[in-house]
């Protein structure tokens, strides 16, 4: 049976907090304890427990979400059992699963598992690869997969599986306290964010966090508030062994990376029948009809009339951002509205913008930054007609090397610099057809540099080595 749709917590009525702590998991209701009357009322009120706003996933294959809940960020756990020597040695180990470059040049995804015992870590590592492959089945992740590094962090649990699976009464002692039936909703998969952060901090860099529950039960959650301490954009929880649940995680990154609004609505909820407020900030939500948008040259007007990957033309379809009337979305049925659908064209553009907030199109292919006789680029995506051109320009000491235009490498022996130290610069422009907004396009041109060394001193020597080493950080705008 489908659970009732709930509006965001800002509109919901406040309810008592009645924490139900069962072993390693805590299922909570939103907070508001009444103060006693009389003399005791003078006592200071207890500090409210920190809350996180999480999105409830929609049913498998159905609506992308079923509203938001406020849940505890951290909660009491059953005492963690003593790990075996093998478990202690493995706990917290970090592995770079996908290596596409230096963390300063790439978007780093950190994946942590819950409900995996020490002898199940090989399975966890395979689950990380499998789940990331599910992401790569969705555009624009597939095209831009070279912009991502993927890290795994081993969190060793004393029990296999997570609480609430297969039913509400099942309680397991796990490293992160992951549990279904969060806030009374079976498919809402919550966790202890404080515990998660302790493992995230072990990775060199985290821009996005995914938590895999060792479960085949459908569920997940979106913790889409950026971390104030570790800097990541959000946490998506997902069942490791449920393929349909992968769509939940991808949808949640639409919020955390793309800053997209939900495109579903709350029919039958009086507060959400008609929107009458100001323009919305999200790139896929507007108070404007298609004609008004085109006249104002704002929002997704550049896409109007174009065929979108989710089917049909881009326009202004009424209903979205939780409201039935008064707000418009770009297409009839994208991933931000229904699980299993692609991102629509404006949504894909916003995702690419999100990728490039953390990654650069101009990165050296030499991750170790060592001296070499060839300067080589790691381009952000395939350079083909289907996606648009990736243009490259090379400069030696500020002078363009025209014969190397649109090449991904320069063999230094073909250059003829004078002896001493020189600067080699590559400027890369991702002229993708998936981006039409000039403000987003501005971030799609970047430069990176190498220090070129030709021998030592000033005495001519035809045998002197000519080598280059990538500089420590990519350059800025050309």
């Amino acid at each position: 049976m489908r659970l009732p749709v709930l509006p965001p917590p800002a509109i919901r009525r406040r309810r008592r907090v009645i924490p139900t702590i069962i072993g390693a998991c805590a299922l909570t209701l939103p907070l508001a304890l009444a103060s006693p009357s009389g003399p005791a009322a003078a006592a200071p009120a207890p500090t409210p427990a920190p809350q996180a706003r999480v999105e409830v996933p929609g049913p498998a294959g159905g609506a992308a979400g079923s509203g938001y809940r406020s849940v505890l960020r951290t909660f009491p756990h059953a005492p963690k059992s003593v790990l075996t020597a093998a478990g202690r040695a493995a706990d917290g180990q970090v592995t770079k699963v996908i290596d596409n470059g230096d963390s300063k040049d790439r978007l780093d995804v950190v994946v942590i598992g819950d409900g995996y015992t020490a002898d199940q870590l090989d399975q966890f590592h395979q689950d990380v690869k499998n789940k990331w492959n599910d992401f790569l089945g969705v555009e624009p992740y597939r095209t831009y997969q070279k912009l991502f590094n993927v890290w795994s962090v081993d969190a060793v649990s004393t029990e296999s599986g997570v609480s609430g699976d297969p039913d509400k009464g099942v309680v397991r002692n796990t490293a992160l306290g992951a549990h279904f039936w969060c806030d009374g909703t079976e498919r809402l998969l919550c966790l202890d964010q404080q515990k998660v952060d302790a493992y995230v901090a072990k990775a060199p860099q985290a821009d996005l966090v995914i938590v895999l529950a060792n479960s085949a039960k459908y569920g997940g959650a979106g913790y889409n508030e950026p971390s104030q301490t570790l800097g990541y954009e959000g946490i998506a929880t997902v069942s490791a062994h449920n393929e349909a649940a992968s769509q939940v995680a991808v949808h949640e990154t639409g919020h955390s990376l793309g800053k997209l609004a939900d495109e579903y609505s709350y029919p039958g909820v009086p507060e959400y029948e008609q929107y009458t407020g100001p323009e919305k900030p999200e790139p896929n939500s507007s108070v404007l009809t298609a004609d008004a948008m085109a006249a104002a040259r704002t929002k997704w007007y550049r896409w109007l009339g174009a065929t979108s990957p989710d089917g049909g033309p881009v326009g202004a379809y009424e209903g979205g951002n939780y409201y039935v009337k008064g707000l418009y979305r770009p297409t009839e049925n994208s991933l931000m509205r229904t699980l299993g659908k692609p991102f629509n064209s404006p949504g894909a553009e916003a995702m690419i913008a999100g990728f490039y907030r953390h990654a650069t199109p101009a990165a050296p292919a030499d991750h170790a930054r060592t001296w070499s006789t060839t300067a080589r680029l790691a381009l952000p995506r395939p350079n083909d007609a289907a996606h648009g051109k990736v243009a490259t320009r090379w400069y030696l000491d500020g002078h363009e090397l025209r014969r190397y235009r649109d090449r991904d490498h320069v063999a230094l022996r073909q250059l003829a610099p004078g002896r001493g130290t020189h600067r080699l610069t590559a400027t890369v422009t991702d002229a993708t057809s998936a981006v039409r907004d000039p403000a987003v396009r501005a971030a799609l041109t970047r430069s990176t540099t190498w220090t070129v060394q030709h021998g030592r001193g000033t005495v001519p020597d035809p045998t002197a080595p000519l080598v280059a080493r990538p500089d420590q950080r990519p350059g800025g705008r050309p």
Side-chain angles (χ1 to χ4, degrees):
M1 180 179 72
R2 182 173 177 177
L3 295 173
V5 172
L6 296 175
I11 305 297
R12 293 173 59 196
R13 296 173 182 168
R14 295 169 66 84
R15 295 184 289 168
R16 289 178 180 268
V17 166
I18 310 175
T20 306
I21 302 171
I22 309 175
C25 73
L27 308 180
T28 66
L29 296 174
L31 163 76
L33 288 176
S35 299
S37 58
T47 302
Q51 302 269 312
R53 182 175 184 258
V54 300
E55 185 175 18
V56 182
S66 294
Y68 287 77
R69 304 289 177 86
S70 287
V71 301
L72 293 179
R73 290 188 183 276
T74 187
F75 41 80
H77 289 245
K80 187 174 181 178
S81 302
V82 177
L83 297 174
T84 64
R88 291 194 302 273
D91 193 52
Q93 290 294 310
V94 178
T95 303
K96 197 172 190 180
V97 180
I98 305 291
D99 184 1
N100 281 315
D102 192 295
S103 288
K104 292 187 290 293
D105 301 332
R106 294 294 178 247
L107 194 161
D108 288 275
V109 180
V110 174
V111 187
I112 310 167
D114 198 31
Y116 293 87
T117 60
D119 59 359
Q120 292 178 316
L121 291 178
D122 286 345
Q123 179 63 56
F124 165 61
H125 296 151
Q126 185 59 51
D127 290 344
V128 172
K129 295 176 183 177
N130 293 343
K131 197 58 66 175
W132 185 243
N133 283 336
D134 289 345
F135 270 72
L136 298 184
V138 180
E139 289 288 5
Y141 281 98
R142 181 190 297 115
T143 293
Y144 284 94
Q145 59 187 281
K146 294 297 185 182
L147 290 182
F148 294 86
N149 291 328
V150 179
W151 305 82
S152 66
V153 182
D154 295 342
V156 180
S157 294
T158 56
E159 293 185 73
S160 177
V162 296
S163 298
D165 179 15
D167 56 54
K168 190 174 183 178
V170 172
V171 177
R172 294 188 171 93
N173 192 341
T174 62
L176 308 180
H179 55 280
F180 293 95
W181 290 99
C182 181
D183 200 34
T185 301
E186 183 172 8
R187 60 180 177 269
L188 183 56
L189 178 61
C190 294
L191 43 70
D192 188 318
Q193 194 168 353
Q194 182 173 301
K195 297 285 188 181
V196 172
D197 283 356
Y199 285 96
V200 172
K202 298 176 184 297
Q205 176 67 36
D207 300 314
L208 180 69
V209 177
I210 300 171
V211 173
L212 299 185
N214 186 13
S215 171
K217 186 184 180 87
Y218 174 77
Y223 291 72
N224 296 316
E225 298 166 321
S227 169
Q228 299 302 309
T229 55
L230 298 176
Y232 59 77
E233 299 264 30
I235 302 171
T237 71
V238 61
S239 299
H241 307 134
N242 187 296
E243 187 175 351
S246 299
Q247 285 284 307
V248 174
V250 179
H251 167 89
E252 296 306 336
T253 68
H255 297 303
S256 56
L257 291 178
K259 309 305 178 186
L260 294 167
D262 285 312
E263 294 178 5
Y264 56 85
S265 58
Y266 296 126
V269 179
E271 300 96 322
Y272 290 90
E273 288 297 331
Q274 181 71 49
Y275 180 77
T276 58
E279 178 64 293
K280 289 288 189 177
E282 298 92 345
N284 63 327
S285 181
S286 180
V287 297
L288 300 175
T289 64
D291 288 344
M293 193 179 298
R297 299 174 65 82
T298 189
K299 288 291 185 170
W300 58 87
Y301 81 94
R302 297 178 182 87
W303 291 104
L304 291 174
T307 300
S308 184
D310 55 322
V314 176
Y317 297 76
E318 194 166 23
N321 213 339
Y322 319 121
Y323 285 85
V324 177
K325 299 286 187 181
L327 284 176
Y328 297 86
R329 62 189 189 276
T331 58
E332 181 63 40
N333 212 14
S334 83
L335 177 56
M336 299 312 293
R337 182 175 176 87
T338 302
L339 298 176
K341 296 291 185 178
F343 286 106
N344 57 35
S345 296
E349 180 177 55
M351 293 301 292
I352 293 168
F355 298 167
Y356 277 123
R357 278 200 309 276
H358 302 279
T360 175
D366 179 7
H367 305 172
R369 301 182 187 273
T370 56
W371 292 101
S372 174
T373 58
T374 301
R376 189 178 300 276
L377 286 164
L379 296 179
R381 62 170 177 82
N383 194 349
D384 55 40
H387 301 98
K389 187 175 183 179
V390 178
T392 59
R393 299 290 185 268
W394 294 87
Y395 304 85
L396 183 63
D397 295 333
H399 301 287
E400 185 180 356
L401 305 172
R402 291 181 177 274
R403 62 175 171 156
Y404 296 102
R405 281 191 173 187
D406 298 330
R407 296 191 188 182
D408 66 354
H409 70 282
V410 168
L412 300 180
R413 68 178 182 273
Q414 297 173 353
L415 305 180
R419 293 175 64 80
T421 302
H422 302 270
R423 174 63 57 84
L424 181 66
T425 302
T427 297
V428 180
T429 298
D430 178 6
T432 173
S433 57
V435 171
R436 296 186 177 183
D437 186 343
V440 177
R441 279 196 175 279
L444 275 56
T445 295
R446 289 291 184 267
S447 298
T448 190
T449 60
W450 288 256
T451 296
V452 177
Q453 186 68 47
H454 188 196
R456 296 181 181 278
T458 59
V459 179
D461 180 1
T463 65
L466 182 58
V467 291
R469 180 176 65 185
D471 293 336
Q472 285 300 307
R473 298 191 65 85
R477 294 178 179 84

